[in-house]
């Protein structure tokens, strides 16, 4: 009798394994990349883009710009291809983009052009003129709604907030010498809005499901941790509001957070948890925490050590809490820092670091001072 029961269990397991083997799954890649100053060579009125003009400090000309576009196109087209060769990412959030012209030129550059990428960009109040954008493959992702949330100052007296983009005497002289328009543009922003990057929020359909991507570039470390902690709280409120409207909305917060996964802006502001088992309602899962804290890997290097500022977090409804590998709806699979040999400096003082565009005022014809990141999502085909 015992042998019969054992045989029956083996047969059942065989049926189960056969059924699983017959299932087919689709994988989707979602990425982020800080493009490190993707500026064109022309002046944008009211913006501090003077370093990236032909007579600016970087002597930014058509040849350098074209090379930058070619490099960025290569890196973006490669993102996600370790798992999805010749397909890559469905969506890629990017930061440090100057304007639509730069994105028009970027998406027209091979090999990115072959993917037919489109983009969404909202130009915000950042005084340098750099913004966040979303690149997407229209064959895989269909945007349905776009919102731009300004970074709102906390506990700042209205009179302390600039209402205009002001130029220094040196910048005015530089612009005059190039016969450029130096008009100081009134922003028309509320007095409590900061002149920094806001939070680009795009909702759409991926794998037939509603997803929202929030692309961020939080205030720099020169501004103190409080401003990033406040950014985390603001973004978390956006997530809460979206989930209140649609609890099934799968939300991804991505960007250059200018903080590590272990910092308060992420652990408390965004309520990012390192382990799936610890994620509760109102929390977000941060798969990058252990990659930095345990594995010592990062996306940018400073002073001989790695930081991991470029993160993608997700709401609990993307997670497989049961461990049963139920992929009937879109679920998180794994994450990856995209390291390619061509993205790494191979010699000199910065050997082993990301190969950036400039270092020490010297043009390196590189890519970015950050490495790109990607997460993979899985869904059973029906």
């Amino acid at each position: 009798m015992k042998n019969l029961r054992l045989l029956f269990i083996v047969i059942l397991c065989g049926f189960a394994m056969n059924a699983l083997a017959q299932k087919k799954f689709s994988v989707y890649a979602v990425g982020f990349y800080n493009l490190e100053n993707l500026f064109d060579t022309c002046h944008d009125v009211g913006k501090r883009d003077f370093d990236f003009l032909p007579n600016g400090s970087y002597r930014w000309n058509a040849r350098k710009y074209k090379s930058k576009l070619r490099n960025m196109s290569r890196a973006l087209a490669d993102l996600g291809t370790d798992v999805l060769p010749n397909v890559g990412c469905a969506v890629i959030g990017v930061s440090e983009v100057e304007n639509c012209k730069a994105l028009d030129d970027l998406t027209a550059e091979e090999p990115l052009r072959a993917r037919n990428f489109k983009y969404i960009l909202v130009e915000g109040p950042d005084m340098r003129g750099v913004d966040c954008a979303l690149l997407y493959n229209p064959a895989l992702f269909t945007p349905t709604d776009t919102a731009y949330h300004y970074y709102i100052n906390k506990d700042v007296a209205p009179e302390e907030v600039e209402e205009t983009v002001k130029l220094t005497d040196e910048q005015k002289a530089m612009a005059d010498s190039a016969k450029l328009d130096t008009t100081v543009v009134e922003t028309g922003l509320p007095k409590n809005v900061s002149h920094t990057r806001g939070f680009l929020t795009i909702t759409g359909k991926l794998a037939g499901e509603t997803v929202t991507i929030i692309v961020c570039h939080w205030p720099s470390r020169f501004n103190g941790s409080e401003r990033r902690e406040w950014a985390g709280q603001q973004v978390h409120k956006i997530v809460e509001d979206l989930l209140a409207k649609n609890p099934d909305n799968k939300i991804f917060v991505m960007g250059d957070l200018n903080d590590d996964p272990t910092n308060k802006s992420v652990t408390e502001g965004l309520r990012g948890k390192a382990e799936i088992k610890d994620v509760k309602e109102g929390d977000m899962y941060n798969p990058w925490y252990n990659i930095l804290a345990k594995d010592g890997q990062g996306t940018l290097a400073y002073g001989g050590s790695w930081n991991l500022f470029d993160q993608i977090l997700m709401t609990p409804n993307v997670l497989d809490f049961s461990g049963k590998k139920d992929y009937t709806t879109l679920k998180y699979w794994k994450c990856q820092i995209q390291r390619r040999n061509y993205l790494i400096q191979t010699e000199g003082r910065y050997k082993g670091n990301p190969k950036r565009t400039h270092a020490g005022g010297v043009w390196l014809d590189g890519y970015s001072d950050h490495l790109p990141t990607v997460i993979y999502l899985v869904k059973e085909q029906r």
Side-chain angles (χ1 to χ4, degrees):
M1 181 65 73
K2 182 184 290 186
N3 289 338
L4 284 175
R5 274 200 300 266
L6 182 60
L7 178 61
F8 181 67
I9 291 172
V10 169
I11 292 171
L12 281 180
C13 289
F15 279 130
M17 290 178 66
N18 186 54
L20 186 62
Q22 290 177 358
K23 289 183 178 180
K24 294 183 178 181
F25 301 88
S26 294
V27 178
Y28 303 88
V30 174
F32 175 78
Y33 196 19
N34 180 325
L35 303 186
E36 192 197 14
N37 297 319
L38 183 60
F39 282 84
D40 63 23
T41 61
C42 302
H43 174 57
D44 278 6
V45 174
K47 300 297 184 180
R48 294 178 177 172
D49 57 1
F50 298 102
D51 288 337
F52 290 90
L53 297 177
N55 61 343
S57 61
Y58 291 121
R59 296 291 183 255
W60 195 242
N61 55 33
R63 181 174 69 91
K64 292 179 179 180
Y65 176 52
K66 179 69 174 178
S67 182
K68 175 76 172 179
L69 291 170
R70 186 167 53 248
N71 289 348
M72 292 294 95
S73 174
R74 180 186 184 186
L76 289 163
D78 272 354
L79 188 55
T81 56
D82 285 354
V83 172
L84 298 167
N86 302 316
V87 177
C89 287
V91 295
I92 307 173
V94 294
S95 64
E96 295 199 18
V97 174
E98 184 183 19
N99 51 30
C100 288
K101 180 185 183 324
L103 286 176
D104 285 337
D105 293 341
L106 175 65
T107 52
E109 190 73 36
E110 294 292 357
L112 202 58
R113 181 180 179 181
R115 301 281 172 79
N116 193 34
F117 266 92
K118 309 300 181 187
Y119 68 84
I120 297 172
L121 169 72
V122 177
E123 291 202 38
D126 183 81
M127 291 196 293
R128 278 208 315 131
V130 289
D131 292 295
C132 295
L134 185 76
L135 304 177
Y136 66 94
N137 184 336
L140 299 171
F141 177 77
T142 304
T144 57
D145 184 64
T146 298
Y148 187 87
H149 301 267
Y150 291 113
Y151 180 104
I152 304 299
N153 287 303
K154 182 180 182 181
D155 300 327
V156 177
E159 62 272 13
E160 294 179 13
V161 181
E162 289 186 299
E163 294 185 73
T164 59
V165 178
K166 299 176 182 178
L167 308 180
T168 66
D169 291 339
E170 181 182 0
Q171 289 167 340
K172 288 179 181 178
M174 182 186 297
D176 289 340
S177 68
K179 294 182 169 49
L180 298 174
D181 186 350
T182 59
T183 305
V184 178
V185 178
E186 294 289 340
T187 64
L189 297 173
K191 288 184 180 292
N192 64 337
V193 168
S194 175
H195 287 278
T196 190
R197 286 83 52 178
F199 316 116
L200 179 63
T201 305
I202 297 101
T203 298
K205 293 291 184 179
L206 178 67
E209 300 186 30
T210 299
V211 302
T212 296
I213 312 291
I214 304 176
V215 191
C216 307
H217 188 180
W218 289 358
S220 75
R221 293 209 148 191
F222 296 107
N223 290 310
S225 62
E226 293 81 5
R227 295 203 69 195
R228 292 185 301 284
E229 290 166 24
W230 180 229
Q233 294 177 53
Q234 290 184 64
V235 174
H236 191 268
K237 180 64 167 60
I238 296 170
V239 173
E240 287 181 322
D241 291 345
L242 288 167
L243 288 175
K245 293 177 183 176
N246 179 6
D248 294 326
N249 189 355
K250 296 183 173 179
I251 304 172
F252 302 89
V253 175
M254 64 171 63
D256 176 358
L257 306 185
N258 269 309
D259 261 338
D260 285 321
T262 54
N263 291 132
K264 285 178 62 176
S265 63
V266 185
T267 59
E268 297 182 16
L270 275 183
R271 294 175 60 174
K273 303 299 182 183
E275 306 292 344
I276 289 178
K277 64 180 177 58
D278 296 329
V279 178
K280 303 294 189 294
E281 183 178 354
D283 294 335
M284 302 197 78
Y285 175 54
N286 191 348
W288 311 97
Y289 189 105
N290 288 325
I291 289 179
L292 177 69
K294 292 184 178 180
D295 301 338
Q297 298 179 31
T299 55
L300 71 160
Y302 180 77
S305 61
W306 285 95
N307 293 101
L308 209 166
F309 291 174
D310 307 271
Q311 301 164 53
I312 306 171
L313 293 86
M314 64 206 75
T315 44
N317 53 13
V318 191
L319 304 176
D320 178 24
F321 286 101
S322 65
K324 295 180 179 179
K325 300 186 187 276
D326 178 8
Y327 298 121
T328 52
T329 61
L330 206 57
K331 291 292 194 302
Y332 168 75
W333 176 26
K334 66 177 183 177
C335 67
Q336 176 188 23
I337 298 173
Q338 183 97 10
R339 294 182 68 96
R340 288 284 193 270
N341 290 336
Y342 63 78
L343 295 175
I344 305 298
Q345 187 74 31
T346 57
E347 58 187 5
R349 176 183 174 187
Y350 301 104
K351 183 178 179 180
N353 291 0
K355 186 178 181 180
R356 56 190 307 172
T357 308
H358 294 92
V362 177
W363 182 54
L364 301 178
D365 193 19
Y367 293 77
S368 172
D369 53 346
H370 294 242
L371 295 174
T373 51
V374 60
I375 63 168
Y376 297 100
L377 310 171
V378 179
K379 185 175 182 179
E380 182 183 339
Q381 295 179 8
R382 292 286 178 116

